Amino acid sequence: VWRLMREQAANGLCLIGVYHSHPRSSPLPSARDRTAAWGGLVQLIVGRAEGASELACWSVETDEPRQLELRVLGSRMQETK
């Protein structure tokens, strides 16, 4: 990830976060998420508790993760056949 961040910076880009899923639980940062957190990067977590998908965004820079407001402003996703 550090190499990717350096390459992006060289091209005027920056990595702002990482995405992962919790296939069998809520989208809350786990103990492992907290210890593996990279300072300054947002964690976007998809959870599937009780069969329903949820999406949450977290700042995990301290011992207490802070949930961030997540707004989806538009979508360019197209249905694939």
Side-chain angles (χ1 to χ4, degrees):
V1 171
W2 294 117
R3 180 181 54 82
L4 176 63
M5 290 172 75
R6 283 191 301 274
E7 288 174 8
Q8 288 179 331
N11 291 304
L13 304 171
C14 70
L15 180 65
I16 61 169
V18 294
Y19 155 86
H20 69 280
S21 64
H22 292 181
R24 294 186 249 319
S25 64
S26 297
L28 303 171
S30 65
R32 183 176 180 176
D33 294 337
R34 292 176 188 192
T35 57
W38 296 39
L41 294 182
V42 170
Q43 289 192 24
L44 186 63
I45 305 173
V46 176
R48 285 194 50 88
E50 300 178 23
S53 294
E54 293 180 71
L55 182 64
C57 190
W58 297 89
S59 172
V60 189
E61 294 189 43
T62 65
D63 291 338
E64 284 300 316
R66 182 172 54 96
Q67 189 168 9
L68 304 173
E69 181 178 2
L70 180 64
R71 291 185 196 177
V72 178
L73 300 176
S75 174
R76 294 186 183 170
M77 295 175 57
Q78 297 178 357
E79 185 176 325
T80 58
K81 296 181 181 184

